[in-house]
Amino acid sequence: MTSKQPNELTALEALSRIEAGTLTSEALVASCLERIKDREATVGAWNYIAPEQALDAARIADKAPSGGRLRGIPVAVKDIYDTVDMPTGYGSPIYVGHRPAADAACVTQTRAEGGVVLGKTVTTEFAFFAPGKTANPHNPTHTPGGSSSGSAAAVADFMVPLAFGSQTVGSTIRPASYCGVVGYKPSFGLVARAGMRPLAETFDTVGVLTRSVADAAYFVSLLSRRPSLRLGGKLETPPRIGLCRTPEWAAADEDVAVALETAARLAAGAGAKVSEITLPEAFSRVTKAQGDIVDYEAAGSAAYDMAVHRDQVSKSFIERAEAGIACSPEHYDEALSIVFNAQAVLDAAMGDFDVLLCPSATGEAPKGLGATGNPIFSRMGTALRVPCLSIPGLSGH
């Protein structure tokens, strides 16, 4: 077996080698930058890269007595998070060259832990649906998903081990599924959102993309200041998993049915207790309600852009914002009630199950770069504000 190049290591593998003295942050960052140089023309994951700045930060991390708990591990920042030393464009021509006055809270925390920010990754416009330039690294004629398009593609293509995503609908889970990486949307509010471009504040959540579940847990444990989130040791009792096809099952293609059954079979074979669960009627309207809430709130978050720079806003965003403007406050309040009621009864609905096994996407990454795929299977988890994890399994054709 050939040994991994530094850029191919997971964050925790790299961290272990750095702590052992067999790898430096500078060598790791240089390896990632070389991969970006070789592949960026094909993948298009980045809006901005700061090679010399990253290498300087890596050298500082290597010389630091402690180095922080990230010790020079490179990180990609989705371009909806403010960065004081790099432009932040929010996926819009309106903000080309925009320089925020401060870092987003999660970026500040990353730097404080010794993480090295390589640059800014491509996001869809305002983290909604209008895609950027990024292609799926496994097949560049297919979408990487969105809105965390560049972050998912960069992690999948071994350009960087850790990346920030976000999720308001399915912006971490869907691209993770399409690109074959781990996507983790923590519980709503677990990671501070200060300095994050808002889309729909009822649901906006900081997410991460990695190549291992342990990496995702470790990174979020630092960002949330909750060490208990890190993986370690064996479970005292087998997990109880509810196989849940969700009320949106009609949207799943044949491959998803195979993938879900395969995942259930493998989990049971590893000792988990797996059985089917059907969610009660309270959950049947959540997906539609979540979409209505997002449209309503998106119209407000982009009020300035729509009023002053409408000619530079995409047709798809204008359509969703206009749908939100047309939504009456009574309908919006009813949608909120549907979602809040489902949140309130979730524990009872899950019964003795620890976790639900659901699809991450309707199928493999669709062909074409003009759209980012259907987020329907992510809406419920986002609406319920629960942690969601997409784990790579079967590959597409």
Side-chain angles (χ1 to χ4, degrees):
M1 178 182 289
T2 58
S3 60
K4 291 181 179 179
Q5 293 300 309
N7 66 291
E8 297 173 330
L9 299 170
T10 67
L12 287 176
E13 287 173 342
L15 192 59
S16 176
R17 295 192 188 188
I18 289 171
E19 290 174 342
T22 60
L23 177 68
T24 65
S25 174
E26 182 179 1
L28 174 59
V29 168
S31 181
C32 289
L33 290 171
E34 187 63 28
R35 178 66 177 181
I36 293 169
K37 180 181 177 182
D38 290 344
R39 291 280 295 167
E40 175 61 7
T42 298
V43 179
W46 301 84
N47 267 339
Y48 183 87
I49 307 170
E52 291 307 316
Q53 182 177 320
L55 287 167
D56 286 344
R59 295 181 190 113
I60 291 171
D62 285 332
K63 294 176 182 178
S66 66
R69 287 173 289 186
L70 286 175
R71 297 184 65 90
I73 299 297
V75 180
V77 177
K78 182 179 179 178
D79 201 23
I80 64 162
Y81 294 102
D82 288 348
T83 43
V84 70
D85 54 356
M86 300 177 188
T88 302
Y90 313 124
S92 168
I94 299 168
Y95 295 95
V96 171
H98 168 59
R99 291 275 182 161
D103 280 338
C106 60
V107 176
T108 299
Q109 291 171 301
T110 298
R111 296 191 204 266
E113 292 290 356
V116 174
V117 176
L118 281 189
K120 307 298 287 291
T121 47
V122 173
T123 175
T124 62
E125 178 195 35
F126 304 138
F128 217 0
F129 291 128
K133 64 180 180 178
T134 310
N136 194 302
H138 302 295
N139 186 334
T141 65
H142 290 245
T143 179
S147 64
S148 306
S149 314
S151 288
V155 171
D157 203 52
F158 302 102
M159 295 177 174
V160 68
L162 300 176
F164 280 106
S166 68
Q167 186 149 309
T168 306
V169 180
S171 293
T172 294
I173 297 301
R174 186 168 81 266
S177 178
Y178 287 172
C179 292
V181 296
V182 172
Y184 177 27
K185 181 202 79 69
S187 299
F188 178 80
L190 188 71
V191 179
R193 297 182 294 172
M196 172 187 181
R197 163 83 188 202
L199 176 60
E201 292 189 301
T202 297
F203 304 121
D204 291 342
T205 307
V206 178
V208 300
L209 294 121
T210 68
R211 289 193 296 275
S212 78
V213 174
D215 276 8
Y218 183 75
F219 194 24
V220 171
S221 79
L222 300 180
L223 298 170
S224 63
R225 307 193 308 277
R226 292 176 180 266
S228 62
L229 291 179
R230 298 173 200 172
L231 299 187
K234 294 183 178 180
L235 295 174
E236 294 181 2
T237 58
R240 295 158 297 185
I241 300 175
L243 176 58
C244 181
R245 291 179 173 82
T246 81
E248 287 68 52
W249 185 246
D253 68 17
E254 186 176 342
D255 289 339
V256 168
V258 172
L260 199 65
E261 293 291 344
T262 300
R265 185 176 69 253
L266 291 173
K273 297 179 180 179
V274 183
S275 55
E276 297 207 21
I277 178 176
T278 300
L279 294 174
E281 179 62 26
F283 295 86
S284 64
R285 300 167 63 196
V286 168
T287 293
K288 175 64 167 59
Q290 201 268 349
D292 291 343
I293 294 166
V294 171
D295 288 348
Y296 187 96
E297 296 183 359
S301 66
Y304 169 80
D305 310 295
M306 294 281 289
V308 180
H309 297 287
R310 189 182 179 94
D311 61 327
Q312 296 184 76
V313 179
S314 71
K315 180 180 178 182
S316 63
F317 191 96
I318 290 173
E319 287 176 350
R320 298 318 321 152
E322 288 184 340
I325 291 169
C327 177
S328 70
E330 292 79 14
H331 184 80
Y332 172 68
D333 290 344
E334 181 186 5
L336 287 173
S337 295
I338 291 169
V339 167
F340 294 157
N341 179 61
Q343 291 173 4
V345 301
L346 178 61
D347 281 350
M350 287 185 64
D352 292 331
F353 291 115
D354 299 307
V355 65
L356 300 184
L357 178 61
C358 311
S360 295
T362 59
E364 65 181 88
K367 189 172 184 178
L369 304 182
T372 60
N374 187 347
I376 191 169
F377 281 117
S378 295
R379 287 190 181 274
M380 182 174 294
T382 305
L384 296 174
R385 295 180 168 182
V386 294
C388 300
L389 184 72
S390 182
I391 302 173
L394 303 181
S395 60
H397 302 296

